[in-house]
Amino acid sequence: MAEAAMGEPAVRLCVVVPCYNEEEVLPETARRLAAKLSSLVERGAIAPSSRVLFVNDGSRDATWALIKELHADPARLGVEGDAPWFEGISFAHNEGHQNALFAGLMRALDEGFDCAISLDADLQDDIDAMDEMLEKHRAGTEIVYGVRSSRGTDTAFKRGTAEAFYGFMRWLGVELVSDSADYRLMGRRALAALSGYREVNLFLRGIVPALGFTTDKVYYVRGERFAGESKYPLKKMASFALDGITSFSVKPIRWVTLLGGLSIIVALAMFAYTLVSLALGHVVEGWSSLMVSIWLVGGLIMVSLGIVGEYVGKIYLETKARPRYIVAEATDGVAHDGELRA
């Protein structure tokens, strides 16, 4: 990576790392990030006042205790160097990955950092890609996406469902960056624009591309999880996909109207068939067709109610205007009331 131009100040970088029950992997994550930031400072790519911000999303293990230890005395956990790299905030309750990520990005904005790079704590994202991200940002790119160069490490099921999800979202008209999760760089202008999004049901993979600004991509090979278990099992992945669909498109509700219209057409056709059969004197038992019709229509009604109910539920959550999260504790000793972010 090219060093900062002569006389041009190095950017203040905040690396945002959401954490939920990450005690097994956190010390190693901290060691690698400290080494990376030290290297970037030596080359003039970032300012010495850059930081790593861990966001504890209501973990039930020792994650928050480790974050406080990394802030107070990182050497005890094997982190080399004297720079005070680590800061942390802790939620009062588990609020979900997207809220934790948003909280860290808003903290970076509030504290005046020039840009923020978000990544997961499991070390699957290649932190060496940060070099190219920063280079592209220095060249004027406001948002740089980390994109997987392949999905060779995924199972066939996960690879297939991911491709189906991205394809389905594009069909709905939602702008997404394929094979890109939440590993990205955002400049200060993009962070400021993101702060204006007030919805409770956050889907940052759809919101960030909607911000506009200049964008670019950095390709990297996604590795295996260093330790611990994935925080996105099938159930959470399905819920996350549903949030993405219902947060950015009303097409499913329009499908309800279409299904209702098709049901009426089928009913009229069955009524006409019945009249013709009676006129011709045919004996029509009708039990099987009646049962099939009842189950079909009943199923359509239940599915339709479920789709409409999903949207009504989201409206209900939005109208209550409750805070997305509450910061209970921070390593700087200040919980920051402004971080209740309604």
Side-chain angles (χ1 to χ4, degrees):
M1 176 180 173
E3 295 183 1
M6 185 67 67
E8 184 179 353
V11 297
R12 293 186 68 230
L13 168 67
C14 181
V15 180
V16 177
V17 186
C19 303
Y20 178 66
N21 294 342
E22 297 288 4
E23 65 177 359
E24 295 180 72
V25 72
L26 201 58
E28 181 62 23
T29 301
R31 284 190 285 270
R32 295 191 191 183
L33 287 175
K36 170 55 65 177
L37 265 62
S38 295
S39 173
L40 290 170
V41 168
E42 289 176 3
R43 303 202 313 261
I46 62 174
S49 57
S50 299
R51 293 291 182 267
V52 175
L53 175 63
F54 292 113
V55 183
N56 177 43
D57 184 22
S59 299
R60 294 190 296 268
D61 62 3
T63 295
W64 180 236
L66 288 173
I67 293 172
K68 290 191 291 185
E69 186 69 25
L70 286 167
H71 173 73
D73 189 7
R76 290 187 59 182
L77 294 177
V79 178
E80 298 180 357
D82 298 325
W85 294 125
F86 305 109
E87 295 180 356
I89 57 176
S90 182
F91 286 177
H93 187 267
N94 176 249
E95 301 293 353
H97 178 270
Q98 295 292 282
N99 281 321
L101 183 56
F102 182 85
L105 295 174
M106 292 302 98
R107 181 91 168 198
L109 175 66
D110 293 342
E111 295 191 354
F113 287 93
D114 299 309
C115 61
I117 293 179
S118 57
L119 76 163
D120 292 337
D122 56 17
L123 294 176
Q124 288 187 274
D125 297 322
D126 182 10
I127 62 174
D128 287 333
M130 292 168 57
D131 299 58
E132 191 175 352
M133 287 182 175
L134 288 164
E135 185 175 351
K136 290 179 180 294
H137 175 64
R138 184 174 294 280
T141 305
E142 188 66 17
I143 302 173
V144 184
Y145 297 99
V147 179
R148 298 176 62 170
S149 57
S150 72
R151 286 188 169 269
T153 58
D154 287 350
T155 62
F157 174 77
K158 188 172 183 179
R159 184 165 55 250
T161 53
E163 291 173 355
F165 172 70
Y166 283 112
F168 184 66
M169 292 294 283
R170 282 193 293 269
W171 183 75
L172 290 176
V174 181
E175 185 181 358
L176 289 181
V177 179
S178 296
D179 296 324
S180 175
D182 292 303
Y183 187 25
R184 67 177 76 87
L185 178 148
M186 298 181 68
R188 185 164 181 79
R189 288 190 301 154
L191 293 173
L194 179 62
S195 69
Y197 282 71
R198 300 296 183 182
E199 60 258 46
V200 173
N201 300 282
L202 283 172
F203 184 68
L204 293 175
R205 297 184 195 183
I207 292 175
V208 174
L211 297 177
F213 299 107
T214 54
T215 65
D216 207 338
K217 300 175 183 177
V218 170
Y219 292 90
Y220 70 97
V221 177
R222 188 169 170 83
E224 298 289 341
R225 185 179 176 87
F226 177 77
E229 298 179 352
S230 172
K231 303 306 182 293
Y232 266 92
L234 180 60
K235 182 180 178 181
K236 279 194 174 182
M237 288 175 62
S239 176
F240 184 68
L242 183 61
D243 280 342
I245 293 168
T246 55
S247 294
F248 279 87
S249 178
V250 296
K251 282 188 178 180
I253 281 188
R254 292 172 181 167
W255 293 340
V256 172
T257 304
L258 179 61
L259 286 172
L262 290 175
S263 296
I264 292 173
I265 292 172
V266 172
L268 291 174
M270 291 296 294
F271 180 68
Y273 172 76
T274 302
L275 291 178
V276 171
S277 297
L278 288 173
L280 296 176
H282 295 309
V283 178
V284 180
E285 296 181 5
W287 185 87
S288 298
S289 60
L290 180 62
M291 291 298 101
V292 170
S293 299
I294 290 174
W295 281 99
L296 175 62
V297 174
L300 289 175
I301 290 173
M302 295 301 292
V303 170
S304 300
L305 286 174
I307 293 173
V308 174
E310 183 69 25
Y311 281 94
V312 171
K314 288 185 179 295
I315 294 171
Y316 172 64
L317 292 174
E318 295 291 346
T319 55
K320 288 191 295 186
R322 291 180 177 176
R324 291 193 184 105
Y325 53 85
I326 297 174
V327 177
E329 192 176 352
T331 52
D332 62 4
V334 181
H336 290 213
D337 291 340
E339 290 177 286
L340 273 72
R341 298 280 176 185

